[in-house]
Amino acid sequence: MGRHELKSILPAGSYYFSGDEAVAEGAIAARCGYCAGYPITPATETLERISVRFEKIGAVFMQMEDEIASICSCIGASWAGAKAMTITSGPGFSLMQEGIGYASFTETPVVIVNTQRSGPSTGQATRVGSGDIMQAKWGSHGDSQNIALSPWSVQELYDQTIRAFNLAERYRVPVLLMAEEATAHLRERIQVSEKVVLFHREKKAGAPPFGTRENDGVPPMPVFGEGEKLLVTGSTHDEFGVRRITDPVLQEKLVHRLHDKIRNNRRDIIQYENHYLEDATIAVVCYGFTARSSLFAVERLRDEGKKIGVVRLKTLWPFPEELISNIGAKMKKILVPEMNMGQVVGEVMKYACCEVIPYSQANGEIISPDTIIEQLRRL
Amino acid sequence: MVRELEQYLRPGIGITTFCPGCGEAILMGLILRAIDELQLNMDEMLFVSGIGCAAWIPSPYFNADTLHTLHGRTIAFATGAKLVNPKLNVVVISGDGDLSDIGGNHLIHGARRNIDLTVICANNMNYGMTGGQVCSTTPLGAITMTTHQGNPYRPFDLCRLVKAAGAVYVARYAVTQPFALIKSLKKALQTTGFSFVEAVTPCPVQFGRRNNLGSPADMLKDIMSRCIMKDQAEKLSPEELKDRIITGVFRDEAD
């Protein structure tokens, strides 16, 4: 229970992996006990690797009949005591939304890897996009607060998969790993360290599973089959899971706690990287693969003496409001390049007091450093 | 006798949500009798239910682990739990709309995979909780809130469907056949693999009233008169079997 250090299952060393493979290995390192999914480009390779690797480590892999069944079986598995994960891309992510909302409301730890491709609809299945960022926030009906991470490299697909499990277990929440086709199909060398720091859900016999007086707002998580006689429901419930489907006070209290347990812990959850901000007057706020191009572009322009910095968001939800507010106060302009029609830029505009300029590219290709250089020269 | 079953009910439960005359309350008692006769340990059981009247049978009333899930997805949730902890005795209890309309795909795939689940389907031939709309088991011609001219579509024969999909135990009885139903539920609970029991149950408030089926007692009598054992049914023509409910065990791989 709680935080502890375990041996990584892969022997320590250097590996040449695709992003999809790194996700599979990250899940294994995190001690994922159940993975269910449905084949979908560009995430299929993760499922294929897991189907082979899980057999060897005694974890359960299940190819379900669709993505709805995949997420639902993960929730069942999580309550039966396993760390659970599903892997998909846009169309499957859309199908999963009701299940993600259920996981949120029942406080079920589960990891959802969405290897984004270009959309909408079937779009271009083999091409990259980053159009599901707002869906990660608002995809399921009703208000919910989930955690969404954005990896920019194969190394980070490994590291953030582990972190996604840790956050899911720590805060009893669905964690969405918003991967992108470009990184999933990229091959890079990664380092696997000997030890891995993991968090396992905390159990406390007899404690209410849906309420707590602790400051972090996270109740302990019991498991089926241990005589707790649990009531788990997607209806509004009291701290013992008893349905209260018309009680306004309880509904308000529950929704607030679920928001607060994420928002009040955002310092622990939110991660980002700042580059060259000390003297900068212009910042590029970026995430995922686009951050690679952005950093490359900014370094070229700095060689010419341009005072530009980069803020790379590793956590997209909860949104790093304070960070953007502070950066906005120091900069003259912020450029937000995205592989969508402008999603995170709206959030940046909400919190930054300087001029915020979007750059949208939704053609199924990565945004090249040259494109970002061109955009920055225009500012 | 009845008092002895209270040990299986969650303490503090005073009333149920079932309408007066609802057959699902009868089914609830029969399930508990089957559990009691088998002396099953409630601490090792997990009851998974979906959305609808029948989903309330185990949750919140049964004093065991219960997972009240999304509409139609019971079998997927149950599959994940069973695979992670095979020691759990996983029982799905839900309605016909939940299991065979919105959840139809999961039902046939669950049967095909033959994972060790017991699925109990309360078939009241309509969506009761939302006020009596047509569903995949509504008889041809029946009046519902969304078929005012009569249901134009043929219903599913759930037992044939699930049997064809690969379930190892498949049976149908009405709540008017309590002893046969208890025996069948016991068999399903003891079967390793995907077992399916369809319990035909009256819905006087939403279905009976719109189809002039009379009082709850009249509906029970009507069901009783329409039930026919599988062996007898085999001797009759399709015309003679019109409106009849064929009951019995349709598959038992242990036999």
Side-chain angles (χ1 to χ4, degrees), chain B residues 67-252:
Chain B
L67 183 60
H68 177 236
T69 68
L70 294 172
H71 196 17
R73 317 300 170 203
T74 49
I75 290 169
F77 280 88
T79 298
K82 180 70 187 179
L83 289 174
V84 163
N85 183 358
K87 281 188 238 153
L88 284 174
N89 188 351
V90 183
V91 182
V92 171
I93 304 175
S94 229
D96 47 330
D98 188 77
L99 281 164
S100 77
D101 278 75
I102 187 167
N105 198 29
H106 310 304
L107 179 66
I108 57 173
H109 284 281
R112 173 181 66 82
R113 287 192 192 103
N114 197 25
I115 286 168
D116 186 14
L117 303 174
T118 301
V119 178
I120 302 167
C121 174
N123 180 359
N124 63 4
M125 291 166 244
N126 77 139
Y127 287 101
M129 189 165 270
T130 46
Q133 296 79 24
V134 70
C135 75
S136 68
T137 52
T138 304
L140 197 65
I143 308 292
T144 70
M145 285 303 277
T146 48
T147 53
H148 294 272
Q149 309 279 332
N151 176 23
Y153 304 114
R154 293 170 298 166
F156 263 143
D157 179 333
L158 293 183
C159 287
R160 274 175 70 190
L161 176 72
V162 176
K163 182 184 168 187
V168 293
Y169 180 84
V170 180
R172 176 193 296 125
Y173 290 101
V175 294
T176 52
Q177 302 164 301
F179 293 103
L181 194 44
I182 291 171
K183 192 176 160 197
S184 178
L185 289 167
K186 281 165 67 177
K187 196 66 202 280
L189 286 164
Q190 287 174 299
T191 299
T192 305
F194 194 92
S195 49
F196 182 81
V197 177
E198 178 186 344
V200 178
T201 167
C203 177
V205 172
Q206 304 294 6
F207 187 79
R209 155 166 88 106
R210 297 194 179 98
N211 290 281
N212 298 320
L213 296 174
S215 68
D218 292 335
M219 267 193 99
L220 287 171
K221 279 182 207 155
D222 173 62
I223 287 176
M224 247 189 262
S225 69
R226 289 199 288 128
C227 282
I228 178 168
M229 286 302 295
K230 191 183 73 162
D231 301 349
Q232 289 169 288
E234 277 162 9
K235 294 170 198 149
L236 301 180
S237 68
E239 290 75 38
E240 287 169 309
L241 285 173
K242 194 172 172 286
D243 297 332
R244 302 304 291 268
I245 301 164
I246 305 171
T247 63
V249 179
F250 299 93
R251 184 169 198 184
D252 186 353

Side-chain angles (χ1 to χ4, degrees), chain A residues 33-34 60-66 68-82 98-100 102 106 223-235 240 242-243 245, chain B residues 10 42-46 49 51 55-56 58-71 73 75-85 88 102 105-107 109-110 112-113 115:
Chain A
Y34 183 84
V60 181
F61 165 73
M62 192 70 181
Q63 186 175 313
M64 296 300 283
E65 57 270 25
D66 57 27
I68 298 173
S70 300
I71 179 77
C72 292
S73 76
C74 283
I75 297 168
S78 187
W79 277 96
E98 192 191 9
I100 295 171
Y102 181 92
T106 54
V223 59
F224 289 147
E226 296 189 349
E228 294 265 351
K229 305 189 188 297
L230 298 170
L231 276 171
V232 182
T233 177
S235 301
F240 284 99
V242 178
R243 264 168 274 175
I245 54 178
Chain B
R10 196 172 287 274
M42 290 291 261
D43 284 351
E44 290 166 2
M45 299 192 78
L46 167 64
S49 64
I51 297 295
W56 286 67
S59 172
Y61 307 123
F62 287 4
N63 198 20
D65 286 333
T66 59
L67 183 60
H68 177 236
T69 68
L70 294 172
H71 196 17
R73 317 300 170 203
I75 290 169
F77 280 88
T79 298
K82 180 70 187 179
L83 289 174
V84 163
N85 183 358
L88 284 174
I102 187 167
N105 198 29
H106 310 304
L107 179 66
H109 284 281
R112 173 181 66 82
R113 287 192 192 103
I115 286 168

Side-chain angles (χ1 to χ4, degrees), chain A residues 245-316:
Chain A
I245 54 178
T246 54
D247 184 335
V249 176
L250 223 127
Q251 163 75 15
E252 183 91 350
K253 193 176 145 192
L254 178 57
V255 171
H256 273 267
R257 183 175 62 75
L258 297 184
H259 272 248
D260 290 348
K261 81 172 177 183
I262 302 302
R263 286 194 53 80
N264 294 348
N265 292 300
R266 61 189 186 279
R267 277 172 205 282
D268 176 48
I269 297 166
I270 291 171
Q271 290 187 342
Y272 56 89
E273 265 177 21
N274 291 341
H275 300 268
Y276 313 116
L277 283 184
E278 300 75 23
D279 62 350
T281 54
I282 294 172
V284 182
V285 173
C286 48
Y287 56 93
F289 197 95
T290 306
R292 298 167 77 109
S293 301
S294 301
L295 188 59
F296 188 89
V298 165
E299 284 174 348
R300 290 242 315 256
L301 290 175
R302 287 189 71 86
D303 289 345
E304 297 174 13
K306 300 258 186 335
K307 296 193 153 86
I308 308 177
V310 171
V311 179
R312 177 167 82 89
L313 308 180
K314 297 165 78 171
T315 312
L316 296 175

Side-chain angles (χ1 to χ4, degrees), chain A residues 170-185:
Chain A
R170 171 70 186 84
Y171 294 108
R172 282 187 62 184
V173 68
V175 179
L176 316 169
L177 184 65
M178 304 301 285
E180 295 160 329
E181 185 277 339
T183 6
H185 285 162

